[in-house]
Amino acid sequence: MADWVSPPPTKRRRVGGTDGNAGSNDKEVPQSFLSIYSWNVNGIQPFVQKAITSFFTGVASKKRETSQSDGETQKQYGPSLRMFLQRHHWPTLLFLQEVKISPDDRATQRSVEAAVSSKTLKDDGPDYVARFCLPTDKFNARGFGRKVYGVCSIIRKDFMDDQVERIRTVDWDCEGRFQVIETKGSSLPKLSIWNIYAVNGTTNIYKSPETGQVVGMRHDRKLAVHAHLLAESKRLEAEGYQIILAGDMNVARSKIDGFPNLRTSPEQHVRNRVDFNKKFFADPDGLRAIDTFRHLYGEKKGYTYYPRGRPFGSSCDRVDLIVCSSSLQNKLTTAGMHETPAERGPSDHCPLYATFEFGAGKS
């Protein structure tokens, strides 16, 4: 078995826990697994700006005091991508959303590539590569100097070399929202693993990417993207791929996924939610997928989005998901999110994760 599927020999991964630490269940994750982290970072600049270049040169980041809403003071570390990978035991994949990099800005892209390289901290961990999908839409992604949307997939190089057949985008998206990693189907089954920053439904206009003509609202575009994603997922399953969809879906699935209340106004948000659930979970003709967190934890509460400007935990939603084909449910080992201000760092979203075991004895 290739090295990329083995956790570091000195580490033990435990099932459970959504607080950024190992869970209370003492069951170890098996030795052969695919680990996926996903995180909407709400802009990559805090990870590459000059004020924290020490994170990328091997110099330890300075601790800073951060006052919490409950009056306690917590030590935090600055946002280092390499330290994040190390802290979470070198996951196979780290998907970043809303990176907000202009497609013409190669300097920032190179900075991210350097930030995940093994040369950064000169540690003993594996090397990583970064692949970007950034907006090319001339009409819907022009604001803020084109620093909008965008996703980045950070991939362990040994996994990249051993397993990845290709990395691609989709022809129905020009906003830098979808990146697809497809595996060869050798020691692993054929997997189609998606890094997703889904459209947020709003009443803002949506223009045709080809003509610039107004063709509806962002709500309409969100529903259209659901249809495109479902059609492509179904096609891939028919071709023998098993699907993993990971990222910010910009929809909370049910009442338990919003605190203190689930968003129901305007009414279109309810329709978007119903459409998402129907297409990917409920409809016999849909994907019939597994929501990894819900599959393992039932009605347990857990959230990924904590808006800035409010006390942490006073308003939150689970809008980031890792979803998989039902054929992978017996491979699913762990799932959760790291719900702490320290793990959230400069973002308004918390990282989430899921692991899948493909070792002997897993049917």
Side-chain angles (χ1 to χ4, degrees), residues 188-233:
L188 284 185
K190 288 176 66 176
L191 297 173
S192 181
I193 312 171
W194 291 59
N195 183 355
I196 297 175
Y197 177 40
V199 175
N200 186 22
T202 70
T203 56
N204 292 337
I205 63 171
Y206 178 73
K207 299 178 180 180
S208 164
E210 291 79 26
T211 67
Q213 180 182 0
V214 175
V215 293
M217 297 183 297
R218 301 295 290 182
H219 283 305
D220 302 311
R221 178 58 183 164
K222 184 172 186 64
L223 294 177
V225 165
H226 286 175
H228 284 303
L229 180 58
L230 174 62
E232 186 139 3
S233 296

Side-chain angles (χ1 to χ4, degrees), residues 10-221:
T10 60
K11 298 292 184 182
R12 293 180 70 208
R13 298 290 304 276
R14 299 172 185 264
V15 174
T18 61
D19 61 354
N21 299 311
S24 59
N25 190 326
D26 198 36
K27 179 182 177 183
E28 290 187 25
V29 171
Q31 288 294 304
S32 300
F33 68 95
L34 172 72
S35 56
I36 301 173
Y37 269 77
S38 177
W39 189 12
N40 179 324
V41 292
N42 192 20
I44 202 69
Q45 284 305 317
F47 295 88
V48 296
Q49 64 190 18
K50 291 182 179 179
I52 57 169
T53 51
S54 61
F55 300 135
F56 306 135
T57 59
V59 179
S61 59
K62 294 182 179 179
K63 293 181 180 179
R64 66 178 184 269
E65 302 287 327
T66 301
S67 178
Q68 303 302 314
S69 58
D70 60 3
E72 295 179 356
T73 299
Q74 176 180 334
K75 297 284 189 181
Q76 278 193 316
Y77 289 90
S80 163
L81 292 176
R82 184 71 185 179
M83 290 172 66
F84 180 93
L85 294 167
Q86 182 182 54
R87 184 166 68 254
H88 296 296
H89 315 307
W90 310 115
T92 316
L93 300 166
L94 169 58
F95 288 163
L96 306 179
Q97 298 93 38
E98 203 174 358
V99 293
K100 297 181 181 177
I101 301 173
S102 167
D104 300 324
D105 185 357
R106 276 296 303 151
T108 297
Q109 294 176 55
R110 286 193 297 268
S111 295
V112 176
E113 292 165 354
V116 300
S117 168
S118 59
K119 299 176 182 178
T120 300
L121 298 181
K122 302 188 186 307
D123 50 52
D124 295 328
D127 206 1
Y128 284 82
V129 297
R131 296 293 183 267
F132 299 87
C133 175
L134 303 175
T136 59
D137 193 316
K138 297 186 296 182
F139 302 105
N140 297 293
R142 298 293 299 178
F144 305 100
R146 302 176 74 192
K147 293 182 179 181
V148 292
Y149 316 139
V151 300
C152 173
S153 297
I154 296 170
I155 309 165
R156 274 184 57 158
K157 191 174 185 303
D158 45 7
F159 178 80
M160 181 82 166
D161 294 341
D162 292 346
Q163 297 294 326
V164 175
E165 180 71 30
R166 65 171 176 162
I167 302 173
R168 64 179 179 88
T169 56
V170 293
D171 58 11
W172 39 268
D173 171 65
C174 301
E175 293 186 0
R177 293 181 177 275
F178 296 87
Q179 191 172 44
V180 189
I181 298 172
E182 294 174 347
T183 66
K184 301 173 183 177
S186 51
S187 59
L188 284 185
K190 288 176 66 176
L191 297 173
S192 181
I193 312 171
W194 291 59
N195 183 355
I196 297 175
Y197 177 40
V199 175
N200 186 22
T202 70
T203 56
N204 292 337
I205 63 171
Y206 178 73
K207 299 178 180 180
S208 164
E210 291 79 26
T211 67
Q213 180 182 0
V214 175
V215 293
M217 297 183 297
R218 301 295 290 182
H219 283 305
D220 302 311
R221 178 58 183 164

